[in-house]
């Protein structure tokens, strides 16, 4: 439960601010001029904050929609991402957000209209652009509080030339099930094998619950994507992914999957360094990792072995044309 | 470590007595017992900053582990004015504004929280009260300095209301200041315990064995950093190292030690 809400002065009376604050009648409301003075201040400890994150309500002034890194995508030529929220309600130990942000508090930008109008204007200059949600947060996990996706989907319905990926580990799908599926939206679920998930994906719904959520969505006509990123090396990787894929494809129809992507565990070196300081006892960080071109990973050979195994196992179920490796 | 910074002796006395702190010679009135230090800064933000800096210097890093360096708890405890809060009400500060330079800090609220309030640090007592603000004379100097030595979550201010619009400030009533702290002592102690629990949650690995290594072999500063991390990894992947392994006793140099540790962790099991 949120106990503290920081509110930017400029959006103190914004209807969404009032609505979100109403959900937490016992929270302390603290005013701030700009969210950055709370979120980016020095000396914060991400790990301590993660024990009881606060909520920061803010206005995003610019950069609502940004181009993705060059190799990021699922087959489209124009790829963009946007983040109506910074930070995640889950606590995945491999997540780069721990290394990127000073604060574990959740920032929600309440000016949803500005995100959608920038998406709209970007769409006018591109053909079939993809817009990825879920880069700086989980797209659905905080949806009951923010209602952002509900808002966005209504707009995407009227933008057939724009494609939306909702990336998530959440089972908060009530909002999606309450409306007809739209053709230009993919709900992409992220997975690691069960034992990895239990060890590293704290507070995340179980693999089975996520599969069930996907099944419900697929049955209602929503396009489903599968994301296996990061792949964490273990000595039993092959059997773990074989079991994971069996569980998934026993429940959902692989022939109508929209896309599958996978990528190896890798982190920018400064992020990794900070994460080790935060969690020195974490086994994942104690394993023999290597540094190459400012990235920390399991090393080229191990990575290649992992990716080959996963690709091969995937190809047993999925048309290779819709499998996208991520680098 | 728990570091307490108070402005006056009368405010400090209930804590000195309760925690059985002993006076030690220092540039400021200074009291200590085990892991608790208390310093009496005098009134004003500059004195609070100076006392905090001196106290912070005492806890100079002895380990390369960042958490061990920075996991001390810091508390500024004292009295404050408030427009309409009842005298004797205790608050933590969730926003500290320096009235002189408009600089702002947001001490993270830690659970379970005391009631919290905005706090404005003034250079001299104000004749009128600003609504919804505690008024003190030390917090901004304390917080800016203490954050150089610890994490923001572990640097907190506790204030007890000593004057309000109905009973305004005229001059410091030393007896009142002491009794207000005394009356709220149980809440203050509870908050201290909680803060220390929070700090302890960061110190998850004991690598104090590194001191044995650095006594026995000569490590450069950068090698000490590598040694500390290798010992952490050894503890995680193999077992907690409580004594220097026998097979290392004949190793001649720090390089040999680091090589051995590196091989040991790389050969360990690597399944999550």
């Amino acid at each position: 439960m949120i106990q503290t809400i920081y509110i930017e002065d400029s959006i103190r009376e914004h209807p969404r601010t009032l609505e979100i604050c109403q959900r937490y009648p016992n929270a302390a409301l603290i005013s701030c001029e700009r969210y950055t003075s709370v979120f980016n201040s020095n000396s914060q400890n991400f790990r301590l904050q993660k024990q009881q994150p606060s909520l920061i309500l803010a206005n995003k002034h610019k950069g609502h929609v940004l181009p993705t890194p060059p190799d990021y995508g699922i087959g489209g030529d124009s790829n963009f991402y946007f983040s109506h929220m910074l930070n995640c309600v889950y606590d995945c130990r491999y997540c780069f957000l721990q290394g990127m942000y000073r604060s574990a508090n959740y920032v929600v930008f309440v000016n949803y209209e500005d995100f959608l109008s920038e998406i709209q204007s970007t769409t006018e200059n591109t053909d079939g652009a993809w817009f990825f949600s879920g880069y700086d947060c989980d797209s659905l996990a905080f949806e009951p509080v923010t209602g952002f996706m509900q808002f966005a989907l209504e707009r995407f319905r009227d933008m057939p030339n724009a494609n939306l990926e909702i990336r998530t580990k959440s089972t908060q799908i009530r909002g999606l099930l309450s409306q007809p599926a739209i053709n230009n939206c993919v709900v992409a679920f992220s997975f690691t094998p069960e034992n990895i998930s239990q060890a590293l994906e704290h507070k995340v719904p179980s693999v089975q619950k996520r599969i069930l959520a996907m099944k419900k969505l697929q049955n209602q006509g929503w396009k489903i994507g599968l994301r296996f990123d990061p792949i964490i090396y273990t000595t039993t990787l092959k059997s773990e992914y074989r079991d994971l894929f069996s569980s998934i494809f026993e429940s959902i129809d692989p022939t109508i999957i929209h896309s599958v992507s996978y990528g190896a565990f890798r982190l920018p070196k400064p992020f990794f360094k900070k994460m080790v300081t935060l969690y020195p006892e974490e086994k994942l960080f104690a394993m023999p990792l290597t540094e190459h071109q400012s990235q920390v990973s399991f090393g080229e050979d191990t990575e290649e072995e992992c990716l080959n195994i996963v690709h091969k196992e995937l190809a047993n179920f999925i048309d290779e044309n819709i499998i996208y490796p991520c680098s | 470590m728990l570091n307490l910074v108070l402005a006056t002796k009368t405010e400090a006395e209930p804590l000195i007595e309760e925690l059985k702190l002993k006076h030690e010679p220092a540039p400021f009135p200074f009291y200590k017992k085990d892991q608790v230090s208390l310093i009496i800064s005098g009134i004003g933000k500059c004195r609070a900053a100076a006392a905090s800096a001196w106290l912070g210097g005492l806890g100079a890093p002895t380990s390369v582990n960042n958490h061990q360096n920075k996991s001390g708890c810091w508390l500024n405890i004292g009295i404050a004015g408030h427009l309409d809060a009842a005298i004797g009400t205790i608050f933590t500060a969730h926003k500290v504004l320096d009235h002189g330079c408009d600089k702002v800090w947001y001490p993270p609220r830690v659970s379970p929280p005391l009631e919290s309030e905005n706090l404005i640090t003034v250079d001299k007592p104000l004749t009128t009260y600003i609504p919804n603000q505690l008024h003190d004379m030390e917090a901004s100097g304390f917080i800016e300095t203490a954050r150089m030595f610890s994490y923001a979550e572990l640097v907190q201010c506790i204030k007890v209301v000593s004057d309000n619009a109905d009973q305004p400030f005229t001059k410091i009533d030393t007896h009142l200041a002491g009794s207000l702290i005394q009356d709220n002592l149980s809440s203050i102690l509870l908050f201290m315990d909680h803060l220390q629990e929070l700090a302890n949650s960061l110190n998850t690995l004991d690598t104090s064995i590194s001191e044995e290594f650095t006594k026995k072999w000569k490590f450069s500063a950068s090698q000490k950093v590598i040694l500390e991390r290798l010992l952490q990894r050894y503890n995680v992947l193999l077992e907690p190292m409580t004594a220097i392994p026998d097979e290392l006793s004949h190793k001649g140099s720090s390089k040999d030690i680091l090589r051995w540790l590196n091989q040991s962790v790389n050969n360990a099991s690597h399944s999550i």
Side-chain angles (χ1 to χ4, degrees):
Chain A
M1 181 61 84
I2 299 289
Q3 292 183 355
T4 308
I5 306 178
Y6 298 93
I7 305 169
E8 272 189 1
D9 293 336
S10 66
I11 49 106
R12 193 167 30 191
E13 300 301 326
H14 192 289
R16 281 190 200 102
T17 303
L18 301 175
E19 201 180 319
I20 291 171
C21 288
Q22 268 180 0
R23 296 183 68 98
Y24 304 106
N26 298 322
L29 308 182
I30 302 170
S31 68
C32 61
E33 202 174 323
R34 283 290 289 133
Y35 83 91
T36 47
S37 58
V38 181
F39 192 68
N40 292 343
S41 71
N42 288 331
S43 303
Q44 298 177 88
N45 185 287
F46 195 99
R47 181 174 185 166
L48 289 177
Q49 282 191 5
K50 199 73 189 170
Q51 293 181 28
Q52 182 61 61
S54 299
L55 178 59
I56 304 173
L57 301 177
N59 183 64
K60 191 162 179 74
H61 294 275
K62 58 180 181 178
H64 301 87
V65 176
L66 298 166
T68 62
D71 296 329
Y72 191 95
I74 42 175
D77 292 332
S78 305
N79 299 299
F80 302 89
Y81 74 97
F82 61 94
S83 301
H84 71 289
M85 182 174 173
L86 310 180
N87 272 324
C88 183
V89 300
Y90 303 136
D91 190 14
C92 299
R93 196 54 64 240
Y94 52 71
C95 179
F96 72 99
L97 295 176
Q98 303 163 107
M100 188 165 76
Y101 292 138
R102 290 177 179 175
S103 171
N105 292 334
Y106 312 141
V107 179
V108 172
F109 297 111
V110 297
N111 52 326
Y112 302 169
E113 293 78 3
D114 293 337
F115 284 90
L116 270 300
S117 64
E118 201 163 319
I119 287 171
Q120 173 82 55
S121 61
T122 309
T123 305
E124 283 160 13
N125 302 321
T126 53
D127 190 27
W130 275 92
F131 296 90
F132 294 89
S133 165
Y135 188 77
D136 294 312
C137 66
D138 185 284
S139 299
L140 292 179
F142 215 48
E143 182 65 9
V145 176
T146 67
F148 176 84
M149 274 306 153
Q150 203 71 4
F151 178 86
L153 282 168
E154 283 169 25
R155 273 69 186 172
F156 268 89
R157 223 175 260 286
D158 299 329
M159 286 190 277
N161 199 31
N163 299 294
L164 171 67
E165 179 189 285
I166 301 175
R167 188 175 292 201
T168 191
K169 289 193 187 94
S170 172
T171 53
Q172 298 281 2
I173 53 166
R174 204 174 302 161
L176 298 179
L177 293 176
S178 68
Q179 58 186 302
I182 63 173
N183 200 37
N184 55 335
C185 172
V186 174
V187 189
F189 283 82
S190 295
F191 288 96
T192 57
E194 185 71 54
N195 66 328
I196 298 287
S197 179
Q198 282 178 14
L200 299 175
E201 296 177 341
H202 309 294
K203 301 183 193 168
V204 173
S206 68
V207 167
Q208 277 312 319
K209 282 185 178 165
R210 276 177 274 165
I211 293 174
L212 189 62
M214 278 198 307
K215 187 178 178 181
K216 285 179 184 169
L217 288 168
Q218 194 181 55
N219 286 346
Q220 200 175 303
W222 288 91
K223 288 182 180 173
I224 297 296
L226 292 167
R227 308 291 175 252
F228 304 103
D229 187 1
I231 296 166
I232 311 270
Y233 170 76
T234 65
T235 47
T236 49
L237 184 109
K238 190 173 181 175
S239 62
E240 285 164 8
Y241 275 90
R242 185 172 285 173
D243 292 347
L244 175 64
F245 296 156
S246 296
S247 301
I248 290 172
F249 298 119
E250 268 168 21
S251 296
I252 63 167
D253 182 352
T255 62
I256 51 170
I257 289 288
H258 174 270
S259 54
V260 180
S261 65
Y262 64 90
F265 170 76
R266 71 273 184 208
L267 282 167
K269 191 180 161 189
F271 292 6
F272 177 75
K273 205 174 158 190
K274 188 182 157 205
M275 288 157 70
V276 169
T277 309
L278 288 172
Y279 298 96
E281 79 282 15
E282 176 53 58
K283 198 171 181 186
L284 172 63
F285 304 152
M287 289 160 78
L289 301 169
T290 61
E291 286 174 27
H292 180 61
Q293 292 178 335
S294 300
Q295 292 274 324
V296 174
S297 69
F298 280 100
E300 213 172 315
D301 293 344
T302 309
E303 215 171 84
E304 200 180 322
E305 184 191 334
C306 293
L307 297 177
N308 284 340
I309 289 171
V310 170
H311 189 104
K312 204 172 157 196
E313 292 296 324
L314 266 177
N316 291 330
F317 299 93
I318 295 285
D319 179 349
E320 297 226 21
N321 291 326
I322 58 159
I323 300 178
Y324 302 94
C326 306
S327 54
Chain B
M1 275 300 290
L2 174 62
N3 300 295
L4 307 174
V5 180
L6 293 94
T8 64
K9 178 84 185 285
T10 27
E11 288 165 303
E13 263 168 354
L15 285 158
I16 294 170
E17 201 172 305
E18 176 68 26
L19 301 170
K20 299 182 174 53
L21 305 178
K22 299 286 177 226
H23 182 261
E24 289 190 9
F28 294 85
F30 177 57
Y31 299 82
K32 194 171 183 343
K33 189 187 174 201
D34 303 328
Q35 296 294 300
V36 184
S37 298
L38 182 150
I39 196 161
I40 298 170
S41 64
I43 291 170
K45 66 185 182 191
C46 292
R47 283 178 165 272
S52 303
W54 183 83
L55 196 51
L58 285 186
T62 54
S63 158
V64 292
N65 182 320
N66 198 31
H67 284 315
Q68 284 171 21
N69 290 345
K70 287 197 78 174
S71 59
C73 301
W74 289 76
L75 262 178
N76 170 224
I77 303 167
I79 55 169
H82 194 283
L83 176 69
D84 48 17
I87 288 173
T89 312
I90 185 168
F91 291 104
T92 57
H94 56 222
K95 178 177 179 179
V96 175
L97 169 70
D98 187 301
H99 189 248
C101 66
D102 284 344
K103 202 166 174 184
V104 184
W105 297 264
Y106 296 89
R109 292 176 81 233
V110 290
S111 177
L114 292 169
E115 284 295 300
S116 67
E117 180 59 291
N118 301 302
L119 190 159
I120 184 163
T121 298
V122 294
D123 293 333
K124 58 181 182 181
L126 298 182
T127 50
T128 55
Y129 295 93
I130 301 167
N132 305 316
Q133 298 275 352
L134 291 157
H135 301 66
D136 92 331
M137 296 179 70
E138 288 81 31
S140 67
F142 160 80
I143 204 163
E144 181 160 31
T145 311
R147 280 192 179 189
M148 296 168 71
F149 302 106
S150 190
Y151 294 117
E153 292 73 19
L154 304 178
V155 177
Q156 299 284 343
C157 301
I158 292 182
K159 298 288 163 176
V160 181
V161 175
S162 60
D163 51 276
N164 56 27
D166 292 336
Q167 291 170 271
F169 173 85
T170 45
K171 61 173 187 169
I172 289 177
D173 177 343
T174 51
H175 175 71
L176 176 68
S179 64
L180 287 172
I181 300 295
Q182 179 69 52
D183 292 348
N184 283 285
L185 204 53
S186 58
S187 299
I188 294 170
L189 294 172
L190 206 63
F191 190 82
M192 284 178 187
D193 286 346
H194 175 65
L195 210 55
Q196 284 184 298
E197 273 174 33
L198 203 59
N200 291 340
S201 70
L202 291 177
N203 295 321
T204 50
L205 281 179
D206 179 10
T207 52
S208 51
I209 188 73
S210 65
E211 286 171 27
E212 301 296 318
F213 279 88
T214 51
K215 272 183 209 161
K216 196 161 178 179
W217 291 278
K218 193 171 166 55
F219 290 86
S220 68
S222 59
Q223 281 180 324
K224 281 181 189 172
V225 175
I226 295 167
L227 172 70
E228 189 82 23
R229 182 60 191 145
L230 282 171
L231 289 171
Q232 287 176 345
R233 292 178 62 200
Y234 190 97
N235 281 4
V236 173
L237 296 173
L238 293 149
E239 58 186 351
M241 191 187 286
T242 52
I244 294 176
D246 289 341
E247 54 194 299
L248 286 181
S249 56
H250 68 280
K251 300 280 183 196
S253 72
S254 52
K255 268 188 187 169
D256 294 335
I257 300 298
L258 296 179
R259 196 175 300 123
W260 184 89
L261 283 168
N262 206 27
Q263 276 171 2
S264 302
V265 294
N266 286 344
N267 292 336
S269 162
H270 297 133
S271 269
I272 296 285

